Amino acid sequence: MTELSQHEPEDDTESVNGLLEEVLREFAALESDADPLRVELVTSEILGEWWEAGDDLAAELIEFAAHAPEPERLVGPLAALRVLATSEEQREAAGLALEKLGLPEPAWAGLLYGVAVGECWRTADIYGDESSVLCVFGEGEQAHGLLVSIGYAVFGGWVDEAVIVESPDEVVAEMHSQASEGGDLVTCEQITAGRAHQLLADAFVGTELQDEPEVTDDYVRFRALAMARTRALPQPEPVDEPRIMTTEEQAEAIDEFFLASPDLADTEAARVCALRIIEFGCEHDPRRPLRVGPDKLASFVDFVDDGAVELTEEQDEALEAVLPAWARWGARRDGLPEDAVEPLLEAVEDRLYERALETESTVDSYLDGFEGLDEEAVAELLERRQFAIPSVYTEIADEEVELDPADPEQRRLLVIGEHPDFQESLAEDDLDEDAFLSVAAHTSVVDQLWDNEPPEVWAAAQRLLAKGMPRTEILDELAATLEARLETNEANGLEFDVDDYVQALDELN
C-alpha cells in the first residue's frame, strides 16, 4: 500500500439559516426613515459577500419568506431585494413575496429607485484599452456618483472596479486633469446617459460571464448597487453589432500585414501567429478585432502562455518577431499619432522580454533532476511536466506569485491555485472530508505525473488527450480514479493499493 499524508478537516458549523439570521438583524437595525442610500449600501455589501462566496442566499431568503415564523422581519430585506437583486427573476420574486406578506413597508422602501440622473462622463486612452465612466445621481448635497473602470483588452470589455463616490464634482475635475496631463493619449468627454447605460451594461456582462473575474474589493462591495444604478439610466443607445470577419477577410488582413512588413520573414509559422492574433481579436474585441493596444497585445501573450491560445514550438518562436511587427502595422492602420506608437512598441517589447526571462527560469525548473538528455527526451519530459503544472504562477491571498514546481510544497500550492474552492477552504481552515480527499488526490496525481511514477498515469493521460479531452477534465478523471481507492490506515493517513490503481488506469480510455 502507498500512503498519503492527511490533515483532519474541521466541520462547518455555520448554517445557511445562521447567515440569514445575521442579515435579518442588520435590516432590523435600520430605522424606517433611514437614508435610502445607506440601505442600498448595506444591501449591496450583503449581496456582494454572497456573490463572492458563490452562495445564492437571496433565493433562499425569498423562499424563506413564505413560511417565516416572524414575517415582519422579512419586509425590509424583501423590499431591498425587489430593487437591488441582480437578476430580474429574483427582483420579481422578492416583489411577489412582499405582496403576499401584505405588511407595511419601511418609509425608505419607496425611495430606493427614485434617483435623478445627472451628467455622465467618460475618459478613455487612445488605444481603446481602458476607460472610466462616471454617472452622477441626485442633486445638491444628496448627489453621488457611480465610477466604473472598464478594460477592453479581453472579454469584449469588462468591469474590474465599481465604486460609489460621495463628491462626483471632484471626480469630474480629476478626469479632466488626467486628460490634460495625458496629452493626446487620454480623452475626457461628456456622454449621454443612454450611451453610459450601453457602455456599463455591456461591460458588466463581460465581467459576469467570467468564472473567476479578477475584480477589486470595491467591485464586490458595490456590484449590486452599481448594476441597479445602471438600470436606472435611460434606455441604452443602440450600437453597431460586431462585424464577423470572414475567412477571406482574415486572409486579406494577413497578406496586407506581411506586405507592409518587408523585414519580417513570411513563413507559415509567422502567418499562423498573425492568424491567432486576429482570432484573439475576433473573440475578445469583436467590434475592433484588428485594434492594437498595449494591454490587448500583452493579454494575447498571457493567453498564449496559459495555453488558451495554442501555438506550436516553431510558431511560438516566431511570435517574438511577429508581435512587434503587428503592433507597428496596427498602429499605422489605426492612425495612431507618433507619440502613441513608441509607448505601444515599448510595452510589447517589455512583455516579450519578461516572457523570455520567465521561459528561461521555468525550463530550468521543469528539467530539474535531469542532465544530458537528448532533444527528444527533453521534449517528452517538458510535455509531461507542463501538462501536470502548466504555469509557475498562481494567486495566494489575492497576489500573483511565482513558485518552483520542482519543490513538492510549492508544486502543491500551484495545484491548489488551480482550484480556488480548495484555496478558500484551506485559508478558512474549513475543508470538509470530501474536499480534502479531492485535494489529496489531485496533488498526488500531479506528483505522479511529475515523477512519472507510476508511468501508467501519464500513459492514461496521453490516451485521453488523443481523444480530445481537455486537460482539466483529464486531471479530474485521474484524480477520481485515485480517490476511489484511497483508504484511511491505522495512523489516520491515506493509502492506496498501487496494483489496483494501475489496473484502473489501464482501463481508462
Side-chain angles (χ1 to χ4, degrees):
M1 302 288 280
T2 298
E3 184 175 340
L4 301 180
S5 61
Q6 182 175 8
H7 302 280
E8 286 295 325
E10 292 186 5
D11 292 334
D12 181 5
T13 57
E14 189 171 32
S15 67
V16 170
N17 286 338
L19 294 174
L20 293 182
E21 178 63 31
E22 183 179 338
V23 170
L24 296 181
R25 285 197 299 269
E26 287 195 48
F27 274 91
L30 295 170
E31 301 292 339
S32 178
D33 59 351
D35 179 9
L37 180 58
R38 169 167 169 70
V39 177
E40 291 171 322
L41 290 171
V42 168
T43 308
S44 188
E45 288 187 12
I46 292 171
L47 290 174
E49 291 174 2
W50 293 349
W51 175 76
E52 188 174 38
D55 293 327
D56 188 13
L57 294 187
E60 188 94 16
L61 189 149
I62 294 169
E63 183 180 349
F64 179 63
H67 51 80
E70 300 175 276
E72 65 278 2
R73 301 181 69 198
L74 273 295
V75 173
L78 289 175
L81 290 175
R82 181 178 56 189
V83 174
L84 290 164
T86 54
S87 75
E88 183 176 359
E89 179 183 5
Q90 286 189 351
R91 293 193 295 273
E92 291 178 352
L96 181 61
L98 195 57
E99 287 181 17
K100 288 182 177 180
L101 291 182
L103 297 173
E105 300 180 13
W108 51 256
L111 303 174
L112 295 186
Y113 210 63
V115 288
V117 178
E119 296 179 346
C120 296
W121 292 85
R122 183 193 188 208
T123 60
D125 70 88
I126 196 169
Y127 308 104
D129 274 343
E130 299 177 345
S131 179
S132 292
V133 175
L134 173 72
C135 298
V136 181
F137 297 92
E139 299 175 348
E141 294 182 358
Q142 299 300 315
H144 60 275
L146 168 63
L147 181 63
V148 174
S149 173
I150 306 173
Y152 289 96
V154 290
F155 307 115
W158 63 288
V159 179
D160 65 350
E161 183 167 23
V163 61
I164 297 296
V165 295
E166 296 180 350
S167 304
D169 289 344
E170 294 180 7
V171 177
V172 172
E174 184 178 345
M175 295 172 82
H176 281 293
S177 176
Q178 290 175 351
S180 177
E181 294 173 2
D184 294 334
L185 302 183
V186 181
T187 60
C188 179
E189 61 175 339
Q190 187 172 355
I191 59 175
T192 65
R195 171 66 169 151
H197 191 160
Q198 178 266 320
L199 290 169
L200 296 181
D202 285 356
F204 277 120
V205 168
T207 303
E208 298 298 311
L209 286 177
Q210 299 177 52
D211 292 333
E212 298 171 15
E214 296 183 3
V215 295
T216 64
D217 291 341
D218 279 340
Y219 180 89
V220 176
R221 178 187 177 194
F222 295 109
R223 168 180 172 268
L225 181 51
M227 291 181 175
R229 286 292 183 268
T230 300
R231 294 193 297 271
L233 294 168
Q235 286 297 312
E237 293 181 1
V239 293
D240 294 336
E241 290 294 321
R243 185 180 65 83
I244 306 300
M245 287 188 73
T246 65
T247 303
E248 291 76 13
E249 289 172 330
Q250 293 179 20
E252 289 174 4
I254 292 173
D255 287 340
E256 180 184 338
F257 164 59
F258 279 98
L259 283 173
S261 310
D263 295 334
L264 179 65
D266 188 351
T267 64
E268 181 180 353
R271 282 183 169 265
V272 171
C273 285
L275 176 60
R276 295 291 179 264
I277 296 172
I278 292 175
E279 291 171 342
F280 178 82
C282 289
E283 180 179 358
H284 291 280
D285 193 9
R287 288 194 171 90
R288 297 180 62 189
L290 300 182
R291 178 185 69 81
V292 295
D295 290 349
K296 181 179 178 180
L297 295 183
S299 294
F300 172 76
V301 176
D302 293 341
F303 274 57
V304 171
D305 290 346
D306 291 343
V309 174
E310 295 185 1
L311 295 177
T312 66
E313 186 175 344
E314 183 181 4
Q315 294 158 5
D316 197 287
E317 291 176 358
L319 184 62
E320 186 173 348
V322 171
L323 199 64
W326 184 272
R328 281 190 292 269
W329 173 71
R332 291 194 298 271
R333 185 183 179 281
D334 292 348
L336 294 178
E338 193 59 37
D339 59 350
V341 176
E342 185 176 349
L344 170 65
L345 296 178
E346 286 182 355
V348 170
E349 293 290 353
D350 288 346
R351 182 64 187 89
L352 291 174
Y353 177 69
E354 291 173 2
R355 185 172 191 250
L357 294 179
E358 293 166 2
T359 302
E360 183 178 347
S361 61
T362 298
V363 169
D364 289 342
S365 291
Y366 281 96
L367 296 179
D368 179 71
F370 292 87
E371 295 180 2
L373 296 177
D374 60 28
E375 187 174 335
E376 183 178 348
V378 167
E380 191 281 332
L381 181 64
L382 289 176
E383 181 185 9
R384 172 166 48 81
R385 288 187 166 182
Q386 288 177 343
F387 175 84
I389 299 291
S391 174
V392 298
Y393 294 94
T394 191
E395 274 199 9
I396 296 178
D398 296 327
E399 281 192 27
E400 186 176 69
V401 295
E402 180 180 2
L403 298 172
D404 181 4
D407 181 288
E409 288 302 317
Q410 295 188 45
R411 186 162 65 240
R412 180 173 184 268
L413 291 176
L414 288 167
V415 175
I416 292 173
E418 286 197 82
H419 299 80
D421 50 336
F422 293 170
Q423 190 173 151
E424 184 177 344
S425 297
L426 285 169
E428 297 176 358
D429 201 23
D430 66 349
L431 199 65
D432 61 31
E433 184 175 356
D434 289 341
F436 169 75
L437 289 175
S438 186
V439 172
H442 275 82
T443 53
S444 294
V445 163
V446 167
D447 287 342
Q448 292 163 4
L449 286 167
W450 186 267
D451 296 329
N452 202 26
E453 182 59 40
E456 287 82 4
V457 181
W458 177 229
Q462 288 177 302
R463 292 196 300 274
L464 297 177
L465 278 171
K467 290 177 56 179
M469 184 181 290
R471 170 185 171 273
T472 53
E473 292 183 15
I474 293 173
L475 287 176
D476 288 343
E477 185 79 15
L478 295 172
T481 302
L482 175 60
E483 185 177 348
R485 285 152 183 84
L486 293 179
E487 298 178 356
T488 304
N489 59 24
E490 294 179 357
N492 206 30
L494 292 175
E495 61 183 14
F496 62 96
D497 185 287
V498 176
D499 293 336
D500 181 34
Y501 177 47
V502 167
Q503 181 179 346
L505 290 170
D506 289 339
E507 294 172 359
L508 288 180
N509 289 295

